[in-house]
Amino acid sequence: MNKQLLFVKRPKGEADASTWSLETNPIPEISEGEILVKQHYVSLDPAMRGWMNEGKSYIAPMEIGSVMRAGSVGEVIASKNERFKVGEYVSGHGGVQQYAATDGKGFYQVDPKLAPLPTYIGALGMPGMTAFFGIQEVGKIKEGDVVVVSGAAGAVGSIVGQIAKIKGCHVVGIAGGAEKCTYVVDELGFDACIDYKNEDVKARLKETCPKGLDVYFDNVGGEILDIVLGRLRMRARIVICGAISQYNNKEAVKGPSNYLSLLVNRASMTGMVVFDWADRYQEGALQMGQWMAQGKLKTREDVYEGIENFPETYNRLFSGEKNGKLVLKVIEK
Amino acid sequence: MNKQLLFVKRPKGEADASTWSLETNPIPEISEGEILVKQHYVSLDPAMRGWMNEGKSYIAPMEIGSVMRAGSVGEVIASKNERFKVGEYVSGHGGVQQYAATDGKGFYQVDPKLAPLPTYIGALGMPGMTAFFGIQEVGKIKEGDVVVVSGAAGAVGSIVGQIAKIKGCHVVGIAGGAEKCTYVVDELGFDACIDYKNEDVKARLKETCPKGLDVYFDNVGGEILDIVLGRLRMRARIVICGAISQYNNKEAVKGPSNYLSLLVNRASMTGMVVFDWADRYQEGALQMGQWMAQGKLKTREDVYEGIENFPETYNRLFSGEKNGKLVLKVIEK
């Protein structure tokens, strides 16, 4: 049988358990052109909250009654599609379910001998590609730049900062809690990390970036974005990747009231969506894989188990009670 | 004697008459390297409000007791500087006074036979250069783009829109009042103009830009910026030139709460200051002059008289009670 998590109610504000319904259905039969994937892991990402909203966004909103959208990695156990063979491992958007029947669109082969499966939905998957192309192509980092990244201990931020270090930048992270900050500095090699839950972000930013900053990679929005805007250097670049502090708002999003700092400093704020670099994912994954093999890039997945624990695990995205890329193991045997 | 308007009090919110003091002093003697300019016209610009604030900006704040900063145009009546001859006309930042002694830094010759003097502090001066470089170099307009500009009847906006028309764009203005809108469409040739004082901007924007917009040149900020953010096309560019709706705020500036539209649409918001193109002003003025001669670019100055009327004239910047570029004639004979 196939346990599936269905999206049954659009949340207002925070999503709670009533947002989803766990159902058990027969494992689907595949049609011509399709494959059946036995899914091992699904990815949990802040972007999920946005997918639940109605209305135009960078991707169609989820329909009520559909399987909860999620990136995933698993094994092909039946194939009527010549691109895929039984026994291969694949990653794609298989959704929160144990078995996914798909025409293979957006799925690609991965090699479990080169990296553990969860890495393919982390550093070698969407979060990694987001970091790789976002900080380089949108942030346009160059040697000597002062780079600040929020969500610094998270799936995207942790990689953004490490790439910036590899490229010769001075890197300051912002994360929630002393433990995460220690990890970011001691394990990942950032130059400094500001604990926004316990420290004065403005004062610490001044201390860690005394001459201001060239690039800000923003995953959080809200007040921290405003504080950072106040310390831009000339021609600074802000990459808008996300705004996790605002996703559960019932009221309007807080706009950055310091945005006129863009004018004063001839700076820019640019939005990004990783899908735009789909034709270069291979290049990104190859480079990231090399850095990982060389020990220059460290990744950490925080793996929980059991499809029935999805709602509780999902909440960790917003409470911050997680260590690294959040992943749920959905395979049972 | 030299009538001078001194800046004597930093305003909170709107500037009023107590911000300045009119004084009469002897015409200054010039030292070696200096010139004496008999000023004919001074320029009134929304940016003046920002110069009155304390603190870091793109230009040093004005000091209490100094002559009110302003662009100006006038005649050289004495010279101890080999770059300038008596009888030449020059433009620069001479301030709100009848005679300016200066080392000539930032001053350049203008030809009163080619254009009326006020044009040199309008279309051929800072506002014109702001429009010329802002819409082309920051907005990166190309043929077929849908361009929206706020402050469309003003010194900068009116030129932005006309340049965009020359370059083959579909251009929609936003201005305050039916009269200004009629001028913008009938005289300047914009495709449409939205009267934000009497019309539903959101509905009219949908109507005039049914497929969204590619470039927004923003002079006003505030709610209009938010509405425009809601109608961006993919890879749209927002040029942040000013935010006149926010300059007199006593509270924090209103941040654009729709800024996540930048993410959804992979759009950017970039600040600009015209001084960055100082080494290309000649190129800009030449092209603008040609367009004016060819009848492709129309300009309008709204000229008031009497240095003592500066405060009242200045208020027209913010009340909108003006028709085109605001200029004050300070010469008395």
Side-chain angles (χ1 to χ4, degrees), chain A residues 143-166:
Chain A
E143 199 179 331
D145 276 350
V146 175
V147 175
V148 173
V149 53
S150 55
V156 174
S158 63
I159 298 176
V160 164
Q162 290 181 88
I163 294 175
K165 282 305 297 177
I166 290 169

Side-chain angles (χ1 to χ4, degrees), chain B residues 232-308:
Chain B
L232 299 184
R233 271 186 178 169
M234 289 284 284
R235 301 186 197 287
R237 288 85 68 198
I238 296 180
V239 183
I240 301 292
C241 176
I244 197 171
S245 74
Q246 306 295 306
Y247 289 170
N248 288 323
N249 281 8
K250 291 181 186 172
E251 307 296 318
V253 164
K254 177 189 162 10
S257 62
N258 274 340
Y259 84 102
L260 288 172
S261 171
L262 298 177
L263 186 159
V264 170
N265 297 294
R266 293 77 155 164
S268 65
M269 192 185 266
T270 306
M272 70 159 292
V273 174
V274 66
F275 304 150
D276 296 347
W277 284 275
D279 60 349
R280 291 178 60 191
Y281 286 170
Q282 206 174 5
E283 169 198 338
L286 195 66
Q287 176 64 83
M288 303 272 279
Q290 280 182 358
W291 284 332
M292 285 162 66
Q294 293 165 350
K296 290 181 182 170
L297 184 68
K298 294 178 184 170
T299 66
R300 185 164 71 164
E301 290 91 25
D302 197 2
V303 182
Y304 292 81
E305 285 201 36
I307 191 169
E308 66 282 4

Side-chain angles (χ1 to χ4, degrees), chain A residues 127-146:
Chain A
M129 297 304 112
T130 301
F132 187 83
F133 293 105
I135 192 63
Q136 296 188 99
E137 301 290 331
V138 186
K140 299 186 191 302
I141 44 169
K142 51 185 194 310
E143 199 179 331
D145 276 350
V146 175

Side-chain angles (χ1 to χ4, degrees), chain B residues 12-245:
Chain B
K12 299 213 185 300
E14 292 177 24
D16 61 22
S18 72
T19 304
W20 303 281
S21 166
L22 187 64
E23 302 205 353
T24 303
N25 290 305
I27 295 171
E29 298 286 323
I30 54 171
S31 314
E32 202 51 48
E34 289 190 330
I35 57 174
L36 184 65
V37 181
K38 182 175 185 177
Q39 305 211 112
H40 290 225
Y41 299 95
V42 301
S43 176
L44 288 94
D45 301 279
M48 287 174 152
R49 180 62 191 83
W51 302 341
M52 298 179 197
N53 293 334
E54 265 187 309
K56 189 192 160 201
S57 185
Y58 64 92
I59 191 172
M62 288 194 293
E63 281 174 39
I64 294 292
S66 63
V67 173
M68 177 66 199
R69 185 185 290 159
S72 61
V73 62
E75 184 185 356
V76 178
I77 58 169
S79 176
K80 294 185 178 177
N81 180 318
E82 58 181 16
R83 275 182 59 218
F84 301 95
K85 291 192 185 67
V86 170
E88 286 181 337
Y89 284 81
V90 292
S91 184
H93 271 79
V96 184
Q97 56 185 342
Q98 293 177 311
Y99 294 88
T102 164
D103 61 7
K105 207 177 147 188
F107 278 77
Y108 50 91
Q109 278 86 352
V110 302
D111 186 344
K113 290 193 288 289
L114 290 182
L117 286 182
T119 307
Y120 288 106
I121 47 177
L124 296 175
M126 293 303 109
M129 297 303 114
T130 301
F132 186 84
F133 293 105
I135 193 62
Q136 296 188 97
E137 300 292 329
V138 186
K140 298 187 193 300
I141 43 168
K142 53 184 192 310
E143 200 180 330
D145 276 350
V146 176
V147 174
V148 174
V149 53
S150 54
V156 175
S158 63
I159 298 176
V160 165
Q162 291 181 86
I163 294 175
K165 282 305 297 177
I166 291 169
K167 296 292 178 180
C169 303
H170 180 83
V171 179
V172 175
I174 304 175
E179 200 185 342
K180 284 183 183 171
C181 284
T182 301
Y183 167 71
V184 161
V185 173
D186 292 353
E187 298 295 318
L188 305 184
F190 285 37
D191 296 287
C193 189
I194 300 170
D195 172 4
Y196 77 87
K197 287 191 176 169
N198 299 297
E199 296 183 319
D200 177 339
V201 177
K202 192 172 174 181
R204 287 278 288 141
L205 199 62
K206 196 168 176 180
E207 193 180 297
T208 55
C209 310
K211 293 181 180 167
L213 59 104
D214 300 290
V215 177
Y216 176 48
F217 192 102
D218 191 18
N219 292 304
V220 304
E223 202 169 332
I224 290 176
L225 173 54
D226 256 334
I227 294 171
V228 174
L229 275 163
R231 287 204 66 74
L232 299 184
R233 271 186 178 169
M234 289 284 284
R235 301 186 197 287
R237 288 85 68 198
I238 296 180
V239 183
I240 301 292
C241 176
I244 197 171
S245 74

Side-chain angles (χ1 to χ4, degrees), chain A residues 196-209:
Chain A
Y196 76 87
K197 288 190 174 170
N198 299 297
E199 296 182 320
D200 176 339
V201 176
K202 193 173 174 180
R204 286 277 289 140
L205 199 62
K206 196 168 177 177
E207 193 180 299
T208 54
C209 310

Side-chain angles (χ1 to χ4, degrees), chain A residues 22-37:
Chain A
L22 187 63
E23 302 204 355
T24 304
N25 289 306
I27 296 171
E29 298 287 323
I30 55 171
S31 315
E32 200 51 47
E34 290 191 329
I35 56 173
L36 183 65
V37 181

